[in-house]
Amino acid sequence: RPTGRLHIGHYFGALKNWVQLQNEYDCFFFIADWHALTTEYASPDMIHDSNKEILLDWLSVGVDPRKATLFVQSAVKQHAELHLLLSMFTPISWLERVPSFKDQQQELKTKDLSTYGFLGYPLLQTADIILYKAECVPVGEDQVPHLELAREITRRFNGFYGNIFPEPQALLSPMPRLRGTDGRKMSKS
């Protein structure tokens, strides 16, 4: 999410792994600007400004646009369309049980997160994954519950409409959780 500058945790937790994965898989890496709107909807200019910085960071560590597909999420409208379709049949209780939902509300008390955009974040994340029929998704330990929810939503979709999307599997990075100096997961917030 383009909500600020990347840090060393991004390098060791994700980017270093992406550089390796782009040689082994057909990779799609995108700047999740719509995800950033779930918490930064009042300051969209900051999101736009961060897109370029994030792309430059990716390129500087070796993510190669000749080996992987790089793009900005909002440039592919099908992400929003599939998100809308998934929202039609996903129970609200499924979204409320995502661990980061309550954690982020506590951590970001200065922001009004009582929006569907924030609650529906996991549906947009699911759309991001299954739109490309991803079979595996590089994630850290903290994202495994999100991916499990994506798998449940995919099963429900396939149950209603036929076997259209594969259930994505977690591909844990070699360093699945990097802690900050405060002992918690490193994050921009």
Side-chain angles (χ1 to χ4, degrees):
R1 296 183 332 138
T3 57
R5 305 262 337 188
L6 298 183
H7 53 68
I8 195 77
H10 293 108
Y11 175 72
F12 285 108
L15 297 176
K16 185 176 178 186
N17 190 37
W18 290 7
V19 171
Q20 182 70 31
L21 293 175
Q22 70 186 354
N23 295 316
E24 302 169 25
Y25 295 91
D26 188 16
C27 294
F28 293 81
F29 301 126
F30 65 90
I31 297 171
D33 56 342
W34 280 339
H35 284 285
L37 282 173
T38 63
T39 58
E40 304 298 329
Y41 54 83
S43 53
D45 288 342
M46 180 272 297
I47 296 168
H48 182 267
D49 295 344
S50 293
N51 286 351
K52 182 179 175 185
E53 295 298 321
I54 286 176
L55 180 60
L56 290 173
D57 287 344
W58 289 2
L59 296 173
S60 72
V61 298
V63 176
D64 187 343
R66 293 169 297 189
K67 296 180 180 180
T69 303
L70 310 178
F71 60 99
V72 176
Q73 179 186 37
S74 62
V76 181
K77 304 304 182 213
Q78 290 84 349
H79 287 256
E81 293 170 353
L82 185 52
H83 168 246
L84 175 66
L85 294 173
L86 298 176
S87 75
M88 299 300 172
F89 65 80
T90 302
I92 291 172
S93 62
W94 288 15
L95 301 174
E96 291 174 327
R97 74 172 191 236
V98 174
S100 61
F101 176 67
K102 290 185 178 147
D103 293 345
Q104 287 281 310
Q105 284 183 320
Q106 289 296 325
E107 197 169 307
L108 302 174
K109 287 182 182 180
T110 60
K111 297 182 184 287
D112 177 10
L113 299 180
S114 59
T115 64
Y116 169 75
F118 184 70
L119 178 66
Y121 181 103
L123 289 177
L124 183 55
Q125 189 175 42
T126 300
D128 297 335
I129 295 167
I130 68 174
L131 182 62
Y132 300 94
K133 297 190 175 186
E135 295 177 9
C136 58
V137 182
V139 294
E141 285 177 352
D142 61 314
Q143 290 295 309
V144 170
H146 288 268
L147 192 58
E148 186 50 41
L149 176 60
R151 293 166 48 76
E152 285 183 78
I153 294 166
T154 302
R155 281 192 292 274
R156 188 168 169 100
F157 184 99
N158 288 342
F160 287 135
Y161 307 114
N163 212 10
I164 296 172
F165 298 113
E167 284 186 39
Q169 303 296 318
L171 183 61
L172 287 175
S173 64
M175 190 170 289
R177 185 178 300 257
L178 187 60
R179 302 216 180 271
T181 56
D182 62 357
R184 298 173 54 208
K185 176 190 169 259
M186 281 189 167
S187 73
K188 293 177 208 152
S189 56

